[in-house]
Structures are given as structure tokens and as C-alpha cells.
Amino acid sequence: MLSQKMIDRINLQINREMYSAYLYLAMAARMNEAGYTGIGKWLTVQYHEEMFHAMKFAKYLHDQNATVAYTKIDTPEFKEKDVKSLFQHVLAHEQSVTASIREIMDLAIAEKDYATQALAQWYINEQIEEEKNDTQILQNIDLLGNSAQGLFMLNIELGKRDPSVPLDFNKI
Ligand code: OFO
């Protein structure tokens, strides 16, 4: 059984994951408008990943007989128009999400809540992957010299990404 404090904190994280999804969907729109449809696709796949993260938390609350609370999602905030600055924002955002997940782990440890510790560990591992992906994209941009030709190639490469998350709540 989860404490009310933990239920509230996980519901907050569901909102944050959905904000991430919304942010990446908005970024995808900006990239598509600029003609970078491959980068737009990569960001749209990331939108699905974030919704999966939200649903995995929701499924956990459901399995623990706790109430899921879907709350208002803020308007996505970003000003960046060029590819490199956009991915710098993505990396910084993921670093803030990592800090948020660590707070859940800290609370789970403080409450001796072993079930949530196991769940939080999955997200901690996932955040390693998220930050690694964004760092590699930024490294590739630097290796390519942030040139028009380089971004053209990156656009093709990132467009190859396909979603890998289940869409069925019961298969989470
Ligand atoms: Fe859910 O990992 Fe990104 O935000």
C-alpha cells in the first residue's frame, strides 16, 4: 500500500511526463515546419515514449489500488528554432526529469517503500538512456560542424527512429 504522499508525488510525475510529451510534440511541429521532417519524426517518437512513461506510472498506481489524477498540462515553453539549440533544450529538460525521478527514489527510500524503489530504478535506468541519446545527437551535430549538409544528414538519420513502446495499457 502506498502512502498518500507517494500517490501525490507519482501523480505529479505523471503530469511531468505528459508535459514532456507535449513539449516534444510542439518541438516536432516546429521542426516539421522548418522542413526537418526526420527530426520531427524523432521527436514524435519521443512524444510516444513520454506518454508510455506516464502510463507506466498510471498502471503502477492502478495496480496498487491508488487513484490516478490527470491534471492540467502546461503550455510547452521553448524558444529555440535551430536544431542544435533545440537539442540542448531537450538534454537540459531530460536532466531536470532525471532530478525529478531521483526525488521519487529518495521518498521511496525514506518511506521504506520497496515496490516504488523498484519502479523508480526502472526510470533511473531509462533516464540514462534518454540523456545518452540526446548527448549523442549533440555530439553528432558538433562532429558534422553544425553545417547545412550535416543537419541534412542528421535529419535523414533521426527519421529512421520507430516507436518501440506498447500502446495497450494492459501490456505495460
Ligand atoms: Fe520521461 O523521460 Fe523524458 O522526459
Side-chain angles (χ1 to χ4, degrees), residues 21-22 24-25 42-52:
Y22 206 19
Y24 296 141
L25 199 60
W42 190 95
L43 288 160
T44 303
V45 171
Q46 192 59 35
Y47 154 83
H48 286 293
E49 294 264 336
E50 299 302 344
M51 290 303 289
F52 170 70

Side-chain angles (χ1 to χ4, degrees), residues 13 16-21 23-24 46 49-54 57 90 93-98 101 122-123 126-127 130-131 134:
Q13 193 63 34
R16 287 180 176 171
E17 298 292 341
M18 287 190 168
Y19 175 81
S20 296
L23 174 67
Y24 296 141
Q46 192 59 35
E49 294 264 336
E50 299 302 344
M51 290 303 289
F52 170 70
H53 294 167
F57 274 122
V90 171
H93 179 71
E94 287 305 321
Q95 287 166 338
S96 76
V97 173
T98 298
I101 296 289
W122 184 92
Y123 283 91
E126 181 73 1
Q127 284 308 119
E130 301 269 287
E131 290 189 30
D134 304 333

Side-chain angles (χ1 to χ4, degrees), residues 122-138:
W122 184 92
Y123 283 91
I124 284 170
N125 295 343
E126 181 73 1
Q127 284 308 119
I128 292 172
E129 190 67 21
E130 301 269 287
E131 290 189 30
K132 183 192 82 176
N133 291 343
D134 304 333
T135 300
Q136 281 180 345
I137 290 169
L138 284 166

Side-chain angles (χ1 to χ4, degrees), residues 2 6-7 9-14 17 52-64 66 68 97-98 100-109 112-128 169 172:
L2 299 173
M6 182 60 81
I7 293 168
R9 184 59 185 79
I10 290 175
N11 273 317
L12 172 63
Q13 193 63 34
I14 289 172
E17 298 292 341
F52 170 70
H53 294 167
M55 295 310 291
K56 188 174 174 72
F57 274 122
K59 174 78 163 43
Y60 178 69
L61 289 182
H62 185 68
D63 289 346
Q64 291 270 26
V68 178
V97 173
T98 298
S100 185
I101 296 289
R102 287 172 60 95
E103 285 176 11
I104 294 177
M105 180 61 101
D106 288 343
L107 179 60
I109 290 169
K112 293 189 168 59
D113 174 349
Y114 302 115
T116 305
Q117 286 177 39
L119 182 77
Q121 188 60 56
W122 184 92
Y123 283 91
I124 284 170
N125 295 343
E126 181 73 1
Q127 284 308 119
I128 292 172
F169 189 76
I172 291 172

